[in-house]
Amino acid sequence: MGDRTFRIVEAIYPGMTQLDFTAPHTVFSRIPGSETIVASEPGGAIESEGGLIFAGTRRLAEIDRCDLIFFPGGLAVTEVINDPAFMAESRRLAASARYLTSVCTGSLVLGAAGLLSGRRAACHWAWRDMLTPFGAIPDSGRVVRDGNIITGGGVTAGMDFALVVAAELAGEHFAQALQLTLEYAPAPPFACGVPETAPPDILAEVKRRLQPMLPNRLAGVRRAAARLTAPVENQVA
Amino acid sequence: MGDRTFRIVEAIYPGMTQLDFTAPHTVFSRIPGSETIVASEPGGAIESEGGLIFAGTRRLAEIDRCDLIFFPGGLAVTEVINDPAFMAESRRLAASARYLTSVCTGSLVLGAAGLLSGRRAACHWAWRDMLTPFGAIPDSGRVVRDGNIITGGGVTAGMDFALVVAAELAGEHFAQALQLTLEYAPAPPFACGVPETAPPDILAEVKRRLQPMLPNRLAGVRRAAARLTAPVENQVA
C-alpha cells in the first residue's frame, strides 16, 4: 500500500442503515498501515436509522483527500443524493480516491456522483434497478468489482464486501486471519436472505411493505440523475 | 409478547467490540411491540474498540426493569466483569428479565453475574474456555439456547443470534421477512471463520497474536469468578 498511511473515509449521513457502515468499519479499522476516518457533511453527531447516534464525526469539507471512499446505504439516501453539499464533498473526495466503494443503496451515491456510468455495481435487491438512471449496470452479485469500484449488496453484504476489500488492500493472508478473528462462519437461521430463496409469501410481504416507498425514492433518483446530464453550472447549485 | 411494550436493554461499555452490539441492534430495533434501550453504566457517550463513539446512552441505574438484557463482548470485558457498579446494575436488570442474552465474550458478563451455573453458553472460540471458572458449560454452537439464556459465538455470530431471538419474540415469519429485508445470504470470501476450517498457518498466527492477552484475561476471569463464591457481603462492594 506504499509508504504513507492509506486513508479510508467513511462518508455517513443521518438516517443511514448503521450496519451498512459498522460491519465494514470493523474490518477497515483493523487494516494495517491505514487510518479510518468517520466523516459527515455537517460533522459531529449523526443519528442512524434505528436510533444509534455516532458522535465526533469529522466534516467532509475538512478532509483534503483519501485513498478509499465508502458510502453506506439507507432509506435516507434518496435525500442525500439530492443534497448539494454532501454530493459536492463526496464528488471531490471520490476524485482523489483510488477505490470507490459502497454497501447496499450506498451505490446510489456513487451513481449520483456520476461515477458509475457503464460500470457494474451491487445494491440492495429491492432497489437495485435504481442504478439504471445513473447509467450503471445493476449486478446481483453480493460483492461486485468493476475496476477500482467495489460495491456490496444489501445491508449484511457489508461483511463479505469488507473482507474482499481487506484482501485487496492487505492481502489474502491478512483477510483470512481477520475472518477467523471475527469468527465469520455464518449460519443464517433461515434460507431466505435473497428473493431467489425466500418463500413466496415472505417475498410478497416484504415487497408489499416496501412498495409505498417506491414512488418517492424513484422520484429522488430521477431528480439526481437529471442533474448529471444538466449543464455543469447547474450541478454546483 | 403480551400487552405492554417488550423492553430490550443493550448494556454496552467502553472498549466493547461494536459489531457485537450493532448487528443485534439492527434486528432488535425492528421487533414490533418492543423498545430497545442502549444503556451503559455512566450513561452518555461510549467509545468502542475501533474508535466509534455511541452518544446518548441511558444510565443502567435509571432503568427499572427489562424483558431482555443483552451484553456484547470485547477485549475490555475483563475489566467490566470486575467493575462493581456495572455488575451490580447488570445483575439487578438481569433479575427482572425473561431473557438473558449475549454475543461473543459478552457471555463472560452473564457468567460473572452468576447466571450461567450449570448452563450451556456460546463465546468467541479463542476465549470460550473462560466460561468454565463461572461454572458454565462452554458450547461451540454459533447460537446456543439453554432455557431463557440465548448466547451467540464470536463477533459476527451476532446476526445469526439476533435472528434466532427475533424468531423467538416475534415468530419465524417475522424473522424470515427481516432476514430477506437485510439481504442476509452471506457469502464469506474464505472458508476460515472457525478454527476447524482455517488453514493451520492462519490459525497458528491468530493464536500467536492473541496469546499475550491470555494471562491478563484469565486473571480477570478468575478474580470475577472468585467473587461469585465469596460471602454475599463482599459481592456488593
Side-chain angles (χ1 to χ4, degrees):
Chain A
M1 297 195 293
D3 285 340
R4 68 174 180 191
T5 302
F6 187 91
R7 185 186 288 171
I8 295 169
V9 170
E10 299 166 341
I12 72 173
Y13 51 87
M16 66 164 171
T17 301
Q18 55 87 6
L19 189 57
D20 290 9
F21 148 65
T22 49
H25 182 85
T26 300
V27 173
F28 290 168
S29 62
R30 296 175 190 222
I31 290 176
S34 76
E35 62 170 336
T36 304
I37 300 173
V38 184
S40 65
E41 197 281 311
I46 296 293
E47 182 166 349
S48 70
E49 196 186 1
L52 293 189
I53 302 165
F54 296 88
T57 70
R58 296 260 304 273
R59 287 191 61 212
L60 286 169
E62 281 167 13
I63 303 168
D64 62 342
R65 52 159 295 285
C66 66
D67 296 290
L68 182 151
I69 191 156
F70 166 76
F71 299 101
L75 286 179
V77 81
T78 318
E79 283 97 74
V80 155
I81 59 176
N82 287 292
D83 174 341
F86 181 89
M87 288 307 298
E89 296 303 337
S90 296
R91 220 178 268 118
R92 178 182 62 79
L93 281 166
S96 76
R98 191 162 136 208
Y99 295 97
L100 310 174
T101 73
S102 66
V103 162
C104 198
T105 49
S107 56
L108 299 180
V109 180
L110 293 174
L115 300 164
L116 292 184
S117 181
R119 311 292 285 269
R120 288 181 301 106
C123 191
H124 188 291
W125 62 265
W127 314 108
R128 201 180 289 142
D129 289 348
M130 293 194 172
L131 285 165
T132 310
F134 299 118
I137 303 158
D139 191 307
S140 63
R142 190 147 177 95
V143 184
V144 174
R145 176 156 193 176
D146 186 338
N148 66 328
I149 302 169
I150 307 176
T151 52
V155 195
T156 56
M159 181 51 66
D160 303 318
F161 152 84
L163 288 169
V164 167
V165 172
E168 166 75 16
L169 299 182
E172 288 207 355
H173 189 94
F174 170 79
Q176 287 183 307
L178 186 50
Q179 185 174 330
L180 178 59
T181 303
L182 300 174
E183 204 170 322
Y184 189 46
F190 310 105
C192 64
V194 285
E196 292 73 17
T197 64
D201 62 322
I202 300 283
L203 177 59
E205 185 189 307
V206 172
K207 280 187 168 173
R208 200 161 47 236
R209 196 166 44 71
L210 299 178
Q211 184 63 38
M213 305 172 194
L214 197 60
N216 186 47
R217 299 202 89 182
L218 197 55
V221 163
R222 287 195 177 131
R223 219 158 48 239
R227 215 170 287 124
L228 275 186
T229 50
V232 174
E233 60 267 31
N234 294 354
Q235 291 181 30
V236 185
Chain B
M1 298 195 294
D3 285 340
R4 69 173 180 193
T5 302
F6 187 91
R7 185 186 288 171
I8 295 169
V9 170
E10 299 166 341
I12 73 173
Y13 51 87
M16 65 164 172
T17 301
Q18 55 86 7
L19 189 57
D20 290 10
F21 146 66
T22 49
H25 182 85
T26 301
V27 173
F28 292 167
S29 63
R30 296 176 190 222
I31 291 176
S34 74
E35 62 170 338
T36 303
I37 300 174
V38 185
S40 66
E41 197 282 312
I46 296 293
E47 183 166 348
S48 71
E49 195 186 2
L52 293 189
I53 302 165
F54 296 88
T57 71
R58 295 261 304 274
R59 287 192 60 214
L60 286 169
E62 281 168 13
I63 303 167
D64 61 342
R65 50 159 297 284
C66 66
D67 297 290
L68 182 151
I69 191 156
F70 166 77
F71 298 102
L75 287 178
V77 81
T78 319
E79 284 97 73
V80 155
I81 60 176
N82 288 293
D83 175 341
F86 181 89
M87 288 308 297
E89 295 303 337
S90 296
R91 220 178 266 117
R92 178 183 62 79
L93 281 166
S96 76
R98 191 162 138 209
Y99 295 98
L100 310 174
T101 73
S102 66
V103 162
C104 199
T105 50
S107 56
L108 299 179
V109 179
L110 294 174
L115 300 165
L116 292 184
S117 182
R119 312 291 286 269
R120 289 180 300 108
C123 191
H124 188 289
W125 63 264
W127 314 108
R128 201 180 287 142
D129 290 347
M130 294 194 173
L131 286 165
T132 311
F134 299 117
I137 303 158
D139 192 306
S140 63
R142 189 146 175 96
V143 184
V144 174
R145 177 157 192 177
D146 185 338
N148 66 328
I149 302 169
I150 307 176
T151 52
V155 196
T156 56
M159 181 49 66
D160 302 319
F161 152 85
L163 288 169
V164 167
V165 172
E168 166 75 15
L169 300 182
E172 288 207 355
H173 189 94
F174 170 79
Q176 287 182 307
L178 186 50
Q179 185 174 328
L180 177 59
T181 303
L182 300 173
E183 204 171 319
Y184 189 46
F190 309 105
C192 65
V194 285
E196 292 73 18
T197 64
D201 63 322
I202 300 284
L203 177 60
E205 184 189 307
V206 172
K207 281 187 167 172
R208 200 161 47 237
R209 195 166 43 72
L210 299 178
Q211 184 64 37
M213 306 172 194
L214 196 61
N216 185 49
R217 300 203 88 183
L218 198 55
V221 163
R222 287 195 175 130
R223 217 157 50 238
R227 215 171 288 122
L228 276 185
T229 51
V232 174
E233 60 266 30
N234 294 353
Q235 290 183 28
V236 185

